[in-house]
Amino acid sequence: MSVKAKTASAPAYFSVWDLHAYYGESYIVQGVSFNVHEGEILALLGRNGAGKTSTLRAISRLDDPMVTHGEIWLDHQHLHSMKSHEAAKAGMALVPEDRRIIQGLTVEENLQLAQIVEPVGWSLERLYDLFPRLGERRKQEGTTLSGGEQQMLAIARALARDVKVLLLDEPYEGLAPVIVDEIENTLNIIKEQGITTVIVEQNAVRALNLADRAVILDTGSVVFDGSAQEVLDNEALRAEYLAI
């Protein structure tokens, strides 16, 4: 079964056009294209090895994988010639699977460091309103938090900068369902603030129930681009590309 991917025709709020990238000699991202509207949540899905994380890393302009071709647009800015720190200043924020909380720094110091780099994001008070647990633990070393709290801190640290697009790589990994519920509630609040989110998640059903739209990858290429509900309603599509 194959579902033809839609081709971008003009820059949307956030657009990826014909993105190609390699890890060493391995051709991982093979012409990925999609558009995301402002304030939309997009689930980027696929089986293990489909190229989801590589696509996120290529979009955020990290050195690995190496991008060889493609265009990335955010709010009418072209990011494809930018370095990762320049893309971050333009409003791109990647929350990696390992969260990368800085050892030896408290919760508040992790957030303050992000604000020093980019002092026009959310205030500490606003972040603590969104994540009350972090406010309660602001003086605790970040790496001693629970897994769910570290995920909250990683998202809060991204919001401490001037974020337009939030890229989340496996945010539910290893978390209890009740904590996932909290994070999803937070992502819906973030959506209400107009922030666009792209989420890569192995728990595809949860991601689809959260998302407005879905893009499915198979061996580095887009095989479906449409509404999340279409995927939930299409048993054959889920079985072939998501094994659910």
Side-chain angles (χ1 to χ4, degrees):
M1 177 180 182
S2 178
V3 180
K4 187 176 180 181
K6 299 173 184 176
T7 303
S9 57
Y13 181 75
F14 177 50
S15 295
V16 176
W17 290 0
D18 197 24
L19 189 66
H20 297 254
Y22 286 75
Y23 266 111
E25 296 184 357
S26 298
Y27 185 21
I28 303 297
V29 182
Q30 304 183 18
V32 169
S33 298
F34 57 81
N35 286 331
V36 193
H37 298 297
E38 186 174 6
E40 194 170 51
I41 298 178
L42 175 76
L44 184 61
L45 305 174
R47 294 174 182 263
N48 287 335
K52 306 181 297 297
T53 292
S54 296
T55 297
L56 283 194
R57 292 181 67 83
I59 289 170
S60 59
R61 314 306 299 149
L62 295 175
D63 290 336
D64 59 319
M66 182 180 68
V67 176
T68 59
H69 183 77
E71 297 184 13
I72 303 161
W73 294 84
L74 174 56
D75 195 15
H76 305 292
Q77 297 180 81
H78 57 91
L79 275 59
H80 37 279
S81 60
M82 292 184 179
K83 301 294 186 182
S84 60
H85 68 278
E86 295 170 327
K89 279 201 165 190
M92 184 86 67
L94 172 65
V95 178
E97 183 179 358
D98 61 6
R99 298 155 191 159
R100 298 192 185 172
I101 306 304
I102 300 175
Q103 189 170 8
L105 297 186
T106 66
V107 167
E108 192 151 295
E109 287 168 341
N110 269 273
L111 298 175
Q112 288 173 329
L113 183 61
Q115 290 180 323
I116 290 170
V117 175
E118 188 69 46
V120 293
W122 290 24
S123 67
L124 288 177
E125 291 76 16
R126 191 179 179 192
L127 292 170
Y128 291 148
D129 283 343
L130 184 62
F131 297 100
R133 291 192 190 197
L134 298 183
E136 295 167 3
R137 294 159 175 73
R138 66 181 71 192
K139 300 304 180 185
Q140 184 174 334
E141 185 177 338
T143 55
T144 67
L145 299 174
S146 69
E149 290 163 352
Q150 287 191 36
Q151 186 64 63
M152 294 174 191
L153 177 55
I155 295 172
R157 187 176 57 191
L159 295 173
R161 308 180 69 171
D162 187 20
V163 173
K164 296 177 180 178
V165 171
L166 186 62
L167 308 176
L168 300 173
D169 191 10
E170 302 287 357
Y172 307 157
E173 178 68 26
L175 304 184
V178 66
I179 303 300
V180 174
D181 289 342
E182 286 189 43
I183 290 173
E184 287 185 340
N185 288 336
T186 300
L187 294 177
N188 279 318
I189 294 171
I190 291 170
K191 176 182 176 179
E192 292 171 0
Q193 305 303 309
I195 294 175
T196 302
T197 300
V198 178
I199 179 172
V200 165
E201 178 52 54
Q202 283 300 316
N203 191 334
V205 172
R206 290 213 66 144
L208 288 165
N209 280 310
L210 174 72
D212 302 292
R213 291 182 41 251
V215 166
I216 299 176
L217 301 183
D218 185 51
T219 59
S221 299
V222 176
V223 293
F224 175 86
D225 183 343
S227 75
Q229 192 61 48
E230 285 180 82
V231 183
L232 289 169
D233 291 342
N234 191 327
E235 184 177 350
L237 177 68
R238 296 197 316 272
E240 180 165 0
Y241 293 114
L242 303 176
I244 56 173

